[in-house]
Amino acid sequence: MTPVELSRTVLCAVRRAVDDGELSVVVPPQAVVTVPGPGGCGDYATNIALQLARPAGQPPQRVAEVLRPYLLGAAGVSDVVVTGPGFLNISLQAAQGSVALVSEILRSRSRSRSESRSQGRSGVGYGYVDRPTGQVVQLHAPHEVRAVVVMDVVARVLRSQGALVRTSCVARPEREWTEVLGVEVDAYGTPDAPAPLEVNVRPVPAAPADPVSLGRDAGRWALLHPAAHDRPRITSEYLSQREGNPLFRVRYAHARTRALSRNAADLGFDAHPGVVQDVRALEIALADHPRILAATATQHAPDRLARHLLAVADAVTPFLPTVLPRGEEKPSAAHRARLALAEAAGTVLAGGLSLLGIDAPDHL
């Protein structure tokens, strides 16, 4: 069961509770499902009881206790625990969560490739919204390199979440910003009619340093990885191929997953999702990807996505040496399951880097 499927399960539980007269509320359009926070437990958690408490006229813990038996009766759910002010912590049956998660990520990769080939555009990736939401966003940036790059990425992520986005800059972007850093702006200038545009993308400027000298990938990472309120460090360290460079760690982890797929093909086996032991941190990071994309879009904060990709890379890298058979070992179901998990991580890394406008090389 993926986070999206579990969200539907939570809404189904709410609907059943309403139908049975246990709750008197309007069923919300969505239920947020995340990894458990401090003090939580299980595989996933939801704050749906806190969301419904006021309209239900009941304390959040009471709403959570009402919903708990409905969730316990759902297919794939093994346990539900109420913690804190009313969080529902959900444990999935063995293998249900991880196998479904990896399967969903790999399916999204196939869909994305298929749509890219058939329609000549980016497909629907893991964590993307598959249809327009009706949200319309106007982004307007000052004539400053970091602001324009941040706006470019925020627009990409918003579009992945179903929004219609238009970008503009108060003046024409410098030629090297578009040619070297690859930014795209729909319009420039500040029209007086029908209404003047207000700047709504304003991170701490990069000046006096010039990220263009680092090239597209390193220059973008240097501008995007720090939070908007932090001044970026524009240094050549982002060009180095060593562990201390976070951009290298992310791209290296992706390249390693691609190499494993090639090596597995040479050995005559491919990926097939299955149970993999002792990889909980990696599974949590992958499951959290849709939430991170949504938060990045809502908060206009591409640094959240950059930090998340680094967390995925750091979680998957120690796991990668276990994927292929060793010595005289023959490929088994366990190797296929490990390869599927590695490919899922690579898919998330590639998709995230693409949204940041950074290349995800197959060889590094």
Side-chain angles (χ1 to χ4, degrees), residues 35-210:
V35 295
C41 59
D43 297 299
Y44 298 103
T46 178
N47 66 347
I48 191 69
L50 285 78
Q51 181 182 342
L52 297 177
R54 179 171 292 181
Q58 301 185 45
Q61 284 190 327
R62 169 59 186 159
V63 176
E65 292 295 346
V66 167
L67 294 177
R68 182 173 179 273
Y70 291 99
L71 285 170
L72 278 172
V77 174
S78 64
D79 193 18
V80 179
V81 176
V82 179
T83 60
F87 292 106
L88 285 156
N89 296 260
I90 304 168
S91 297
L92 302 181
Q93 292 175 0
Q96 281 277 343
S98 60
V99 175
L101 172 66
V102 172
S103 298
E104 171 59 22
I105 295 173
L106 297 184
R107 279 196 301 269
S108 74
R109 179 182 64 177
S110 299
R111 290 197 304 268
S112 181
R113 289 175 177 173
S114 175
E115 292 190 15
S116 296
R117 287 193 297 266
S118 64
Q119 302 178 21
R121 62 179 177 81
S122 296
V124 178
Y126 173 58
Y128 285 29
V129 173
D130 59 3
R131 60 181 58 88
T133 61
Q135 181 187 16
V136 179
V137 181
Q138 169 70 58
L139 299 175
H140 193 51
H143 187 258
E144 191 277 322
V145 60
R146 189 186 186 195
V148 174
V149 171
V150 167
M151 178 176 67
D152 178 74
V153 174
V154 170
R156 291 167 182 250
V157 179
L158 279 166
R159 289 173 184 135
S160 80
Q161 301 303 293
L164 177 64
V165 185
R166 178 177 170 81
T167 61
S168 58
C169 182
V170 298
R172 183 172 186 169
E174 300 299 322
R175 182 175 178 179
E176 58 266 27
W177 298 356
T178 57
E179 293 185 354
V180 178
L181 297 179
V183 299
E184 296 181 1
V185 177
D186 296 325
Y188 57 88
T190 305
D192 295 325
L197 296 177
E198 294 186 2
V199 170
N200 55 6
V201 180
R202 197 188 292 275
V204 172
D210 181 13

Side-chain angles (χ1 to χ4, degrees), residues 244-278:
N245 177 5
L247 173 59
F248 171 73
R249 297 213 303 272
V250 173
R251 286 162 36 113
Y252 174 73
H254 171 264
R256 285 284 306 278
T257 66
R258 300 299 299 136
L260 288 172
S261 297
R262 294 191 298 270
N263 293 338
D266 291 340
L267 293 172
F269 76 99
D270 57 9
H272 185 78
V275 179
V276 181
Q277 302 296 329
D278 302 323

Side-chain angles (χ1 to χ4, degrees), residues 274-290:
V275 179
V276 181
Q277 302 296 329
D278 302 323
V279 288
R280 186 61 187 144
L282 175 57
E283 291 171 348
I284 288 174
L286 297 179
D288 208 26
H289 187 64

